[in-house]
Amino acid sequence: MSENEIHPSAVIAVGAKVGRGVYIGPWCSVGPDVVIEDGVRLIANVIVDGHTILGKDSVYYPFSTIGLAPQDLKYKGEPTRCVIGSRTIVREQVTIHRGTESGEGVTSVGSDCLLMVNAHIAHDCHLGDRVIIVNNVVLGGHVQIDDDARVMGSAAIHQFVRIGKAALVGGVTGVESDVIPYGSVLGNRARLVGMHWIWLKRNGVQNEELHVLRNVYRHLFPRDEDQHAVFEDRLQIVKEKFGHIEKVQQIISFIEQPSRRGLVKVGRSISSSEKEG
């Protein structure tokens, strides 16, 4: 692991910091303010620029670009940052832009993430750990995606949207509002169609807790709202009845956080989702 393997055609600027056991393949370009931690692999034709950190054992496939300037006309070359976590895999033609001074100044991707072909992560986005972004997904600026979320192919996420923990965004879905933790959304303009039951079951959530989450969902998002109290009252009922349960606490906390986009509205359930539930 101590020896680096750097192809003769790669260009590494003076000032770049390269750890041990790093592989930098043909025609890669590494800027002067880049930090490459131990075990990183740049397969070929990868461009890394700006004040960027590539976490340990992360892998970058051909024609991915990391830490380049944001697509923001207000950006004037400020030394903003891009940080990628350990063991994250970035596939072909993915673009991850550094942050802006008008945002938080950093774009971050957590550890153990998978960003598939042709995805775009815009300036000031923050992705948690174990997030999966499928082919052709585009994220507007300032999007926040929490741990374990899944965004399926060709989805588009509006700027400032928040995607909660382990939420599922369906393919070719346009998301203009926030998605609750463990929620599942789908549609040309996203609608909440249920909970992400598959993830919950695969991650060891027992039937008793699944039953509680069904009740919470039905309380918060009833199919016939005319027969129920306003949303704030429904939320209070959920707090009183189920607020002691960790996953319910996460949902409540997410809803109560300040938001620039509001919550995704409820839509028609999908038969396959119902079957999984």
Side-chain angles (χ1 to χ4, degrees), residues 108-275:
S108 64
V109 176
S111 298
D112 300 297
C113 295
L114 172 59
L115 311 183
M116 296 189 192
V117 172
N118 207 45
H120 173 62
I121 313 301
H123 61 85
D124 303 291
C125 287
H126 297 285
L127 278 60
D129 297 334
R130 301 173 301 280
V131 170
I132 296 178
I133 304 293
V134 180
N135 303 52
N136 303 309
V137 166
V138 290
L139 307 184
H142 310 274
V143 167
Q144 174 184 316
I145 301 182
D146 294 338
D147 295 350
D148 299 300
R150 307 287 188 260
V151 183
M152 298 294 104
S154 299
I157 315 297
H158 195 284
Q159 62 181 356
F160 293 104
V161 159
R162 299 178 300 143
I163 308 293
K165 177 179 173 62
L168 174 66
V169 175
V172 201
T173 294
V175 184
E176 298 177 313
S177 304
D178 298 343
V179 181
I180 62 168
Y182 313 106
S184 177
V185 299
L186 186 66
N188 178 269
R189 287 297 179 265
R191 291 293 181 264
L192 187 66
V193 297
M195 302 290 279
H196 192 182
W197 302 117
I198 293 176
W199 185 93
L200 291 164
K201 292 175 182 179
R202 287 178 178 173
N203 285 271
V205 178
Q206 300 301 306
N207 287 337
E208 182 178 353
E209 191 171 3
L210 290 173
H211 180 70
V212 169
L213 289 172
R214 288 189 185 94
N215 281 333
V216 167
Y217 181 83
R218 290 164 182 164
H219 271 85
L220 289 175
F221 309 106
R223 294 183 179 181
D224 185 358
E225 293 195 17
D226 291 339
Q227 299 179 11
H228 297 265
V230 297
F231 183 79
E232 288 76 10
D233 294 337
R234 299 199 301 268
L235 183 61
Q236 185 60 38
I237 292 171
V238 166
K239 284 184 184 179
E240 294 171 358
K241 295 182 68 173
F242 307 110
H244 60 286
I245 298 169
E246 182 182 3
K247 287 183 173 57
V248 179
Q249 291 174 359
Q250 293 169 352
I251 294 171
I252 293 170
S253 175
F254 182 92
I255 291 172
E256 292 184 330
Q257 289 174 16
S259 170
R260 297 180 64 161
R261 302 300 306 172
L263 292 177
V264 168
K265 298 184 182 301
V266 181
R268 182 176 60 85
S269 295
I270 299 173
S271 58
S272 59
S273 299
E274 293 292 330
K275 290 177 183 177

